[in-house]
Amino acid sequence: RERERERERGGETHGRSSDLVRDAPAFAAPDTRPGLPEGSRQPLRKRVLFHFRSSLERRGYTGRQLRNRFSYSAALRARSPRARSRDRRQGELDVAWIQLWEAISNGGEIGADDEAAILACERWRRKVNGERNGLWTRLAQTLKHSHADWDRLTTGIRAGVPSSLRGSVWHACSGAAIKRQEAGKTYAEYVRLGLELRNEAANVIEVDLPRTGIAEHQMGQLRHVLLAFAVKNPSIGYCQSMNFIAKTLLLYSEEERTFWILCSLIEDVLPAGYYTPTMSGLRSDLKLLDSLIGHYLPNLKSHLMKHGIDLAPITMNWFLCLFVNTLPAEQSHRVLDCLLHEGPKVLFRAALAILHMRESELLKTTAVVDAYPILRAPYSTDALDEEEPRKPSSGGPTLDLLNSMYGLWLQGLSTDTVSHLREEHLKAV
């Protein structure tokens, strides 16, 4: 409504300029532009906007350039000294995070040593994202904090992260920087201890390395990452499928970052019990997926029950490998983008989307052996063995998968819903 009033007065704003005007210093100097009667005063918001635009025009920005160059960080930096002093520390964190995301969304590089910005990003995420906080924190944030920036980030990640920036985004979203900061040992120490391991985990890692399909020059890096993880998490050690996940992370990140992202992914992002000897967390999630199929795909569920088809042996591989050896590279990496940002509900959305898109074919099957080739590689297998990430396309299967994952037919499949149902299925397991 405010923008419409401004347009009626001839003072149309562009982009997010109104955000700046709302936070800009409230100076009230007389308006001395040529053509105005002496002593006349335009409304405060129009005067602020005029001075802001004039300052940018003096720097050579006009018209569309103004809209393209405006940013949230510019608005925050334009806040009055009094506002900055009231909450300087939080303001610095917000500015650092917003600048970081602007660098991502504008296609700029993020330095591997930009630890301050990455840590600011994680603090901001933990503050805003109620899914990882307690009840009272969620209530407080709901009352006090606007989630506009969080929604903006979610929209950007779902729209697709540039492959050149994917490693930085995964590092920022996973919590790897804080994981590294809070660890009792350095990565080099974990690697040294891992190379000294002489147990079952070390033996299985050596057997699985050649089967991973990784480039020869990255074989040593993958060995270091998996052995270091086995040392850091002795209760887990090593589970087959971790090699495929680590291989995918290495496509976009250097060795140490890959290790910390892997640790954060398995220890924090995914539910507990996915890679333990009992696999209790995984088994409960497979039961949860089965119940969700009955809710969102009732015709398919009835057909599977009628013919005694159990999809668990197939979907277990989906969840263990996080779809990286099921989907082509472009699609599986987009699923990882969303998983690291939104949490494990993405696994259920991706699984249901694949089943939904292949439902007509599955309804013709009468045994699990018929369903296996359909779901083992739901799309073309040409990209499954890629050693280099493909550039995102503007459409095709990836767009179909993401649209299905976040379509209206899955409305209501939230993190809270998944967590509640998981607790019920854990009791049965």
Side-chain angles (χ1 to χ4, degrees), residues 14-34:
H14 299 285
R16 299 188 184 89
S17 299
S18 59
D19 295 337
L20 174 72
V21 174
R22 184 165 52 251
D23 293 330
F27 54 85
D31 198 329
T32 57
R33 282 177 288 172

Side-chain angles (χ1 to χ4, degrees), residues 229-240:
F229 181 88
V231 170
K232 189 176 187 298
N233 294 274
S235 61
I236 298 176
Y238 170 76
C239 178
Q240 289 178 322

Side-chain angles (χ1 to χ4, degrees), residues 139-152:
L139 289 174
Q141 297 305 330
T142 300
L143 295 173
K144 293 173 18 181
H145 186 84
S146 170
H147 285 242
D149 289 333
W150 179 267
D151 294 338
R152 175 172 170 248

Side-chain angles (χ1 to χ4, degrees), residues 72-73 76 93-103 149 152:
Y72 276 125
S73 59
L76 284 174
L93 293 178
D94 289 345
V95 169
W97 156 240
I98 292 169
Q99 288 174 332
L100 174 69
W101 178 242
E102 284 178 353
D149 289 333
R152 175 172 170 248

Side-chain angles (χ1 to χ4, degrees), residues 300 303 357-365 370-371 374 378:
L300 178 60
H303 178 80
M357 296 171 70
R358 296 291 176 262
E359 183 174 10
S360 60
E361 300 166 60
L362 292 171
L363 289 175
K364 300 175 184 177
T365 61
D370 301 325
I374 299 173

Side-chain angles (χ1 to χ4, degrees), residues 7 26 34 37 46 52 59 76 79 91 123 132 141 156 198 224 248 251 259 276 279 289 326 333 339 355 384 407 428:
R7 293 191 191 101
K46 294 181 68 175
F52 171 65
R59 302 179 191 176
L76 284 174
R79 296 170 67 189
R123 293 190 188 100
R132 295 188 183 181
Q141 297 305 330
R198 298 294 182 270
H224 291 167
T248 302
L251 292 177
F259 168 73
T276 57
M279 291 186 171
L289 176 61
T326 298
H333 301 173
L339 171 65
L355 294 173
L384 289 178

